[in-house]
Amino acid sequence: VSTYIFLISVFLPNTEPLTLDRFFNVAHSLIDDCQKREGVTDEHIVRLVEEYPPENMHTYGNEVITFRVIERKPGMMNAKGTGRPHRKATFSHQEVRPDLANKVITVESRPVDHVIEFNCWATSNKLANRRAIWLEKLFINSAFAFEVKGAERFFWKERLSDNYITINGQRIFSRPIRFFLRFREFDAKAYSIIRQILIDLNILNK
């Protein structure tokens, strides 16, 4: 078996696979676009950043939203998400490409479940509370945007306890919100056409 490093999107039908990076890019775009539609000027837009916790709060202004992955694991095999984990990739489809002579490409996929935490940080309780409700509503009402990009399931999971940290003598209030995300990860493997014919004829399994 010859396994190559592929740009997997080349072998997917009319789509680009969702990844965590693409998910966070979509989240960033939604947050920015919604504020611009509300008339917020560029210098006052609340940003989505990866820094957790935001120790450089003074560079963000009065508010900032951070993100982190809380959980990442194989998706469950049943629709309710209560069955056995789907650990092994399963067959998706096959392709033959002229640029890969004498090879058949087998594409496999597996579901991966994530719990993603977005945390709304602000210099006051009132700002943090308002931003948390705003973000909840935005992502709940925009779930379809993640699904269009490849999410199989995306929903609001919970909001955790209010909290605060102290940075350089200043209290920064936080409101953590968690969302569930499932998408499929794909792998492509190249096999010789002769070997694939033998497999299809069940010769190698005898």
Side-chain angles (χ1 to χ4, degrees):
V1 178
S2 296
T3 303
Y4 299 111
I5 298 176
F6 294 113
L7 178 62
I8 185 64
S9 58
V10 173
F11 301 101
L12 297 182
N14 303 319
T15 187
E16 184 178 352
L18 186 63
T19 63
L20 282 174
D21 284 343
R22 288 193 71 220
F23 168 78
F24 289 123
N25 286 340
V26 174
H28 181 276
S29 295
L30 286 172
I31 289 171
D32 272 16
D33 182 68
C34 183
Q35 292 179 85
K36 289 177 180 177
R37 291 176 183 273
E38 293 173 349
V40 179
T41 57
D42 285 346
E43 61 268 23
H44 292 106
I45 283 181
V46 177
R47 306 296 180 185
L48 175 66
V49 302
E50 194 167 356
E51 183 182 11
Y52 197 105
E55 295 186 356
N56 295 315
M57 187 69 185
H58 64 280
T59 65
Y60 302 124
N62 292 324
E63 297 182 74
V64 70
I65 302 170
T66 61
F67 64 86
R68 61 175 178 166
V69 177
I70 298 297
E71 186 176 78
R72 173 179 160 86
K73 63 183 182 181
M76 297 301 176
M77 298 183 72
N78 64 342
K80 293 183 178 180
T82 56
R84 293 185 294 112
H86 193 150
R87 299 186 186 281
K88 187 176 180 180
T90 54
F91 176 82
S92 174
H93 63 279
Q94 287 182 335
E95 289 193 28
V96 176
R97 291 291 181 94
D99 55 330
L100 294 171
N102 301 318
K103 298 289 183 181
V104 59
I105 307 301
T106 297
V107 178
E108 299 176 333
S109 70
R110 65 188 179 102
V112 183
D113 289 348
H114 306 79
V115 175
I116 310 293
E117 182 175 287
F118 293 90
N119 206 331
C120 301
W121 304 83
T123 53
S124 73
N125 269 311
K126 181 177 288 188
L127 282 175
N129 287 331
R130 186 177 63 186
R131 186 60 59 188
I133 297 299
W134 180 90
L135 189 65
E136 280 180 18
K137 291 182 178 179
L138 173 63
F139 281 175
I140 290 171
N141 293 333
S142 303
F144 70 91
F146 297 109
E147 293 166 0
V148 166
K149 293 297 185 180
E152 289 192 357
R153 299 179 69 189
F154 177 78
F155 58 83
W156 175 52
K157 188 174 186 292
E158 61 185 341
R159 173 172 160 178
L160 303 183
S161 299
D162 298 353
N163 203 354
Y164 72 88
I165 60 174
T166 302
I167 300 177
N168 297 326
Q170 180 184 20
R171 283 189 177 185
I172 307 299
F173 302 89
S174 71
R175 303 293 183 266
I177 310 164
R178 292 183 177 179
F179 293 84
F180 175 88
L181 169 68
R182 170 180 289 182
F183 59 77
R184 285 189 172 270
E185 291 188 336
F186 294 86
D187 292 305
K189 298 179 181 178
Y191 300 92
S192 72
I193 290 179
I194 293 177
R195 182 183 185 279
Q196 190 61 41
I197 291 173
L198 295 177
I199 291 175
D200 292 341
L201 293 175
N202 206 29
I203 292 176
L204 294 184
N205 296 328
K206 292 181 180 180

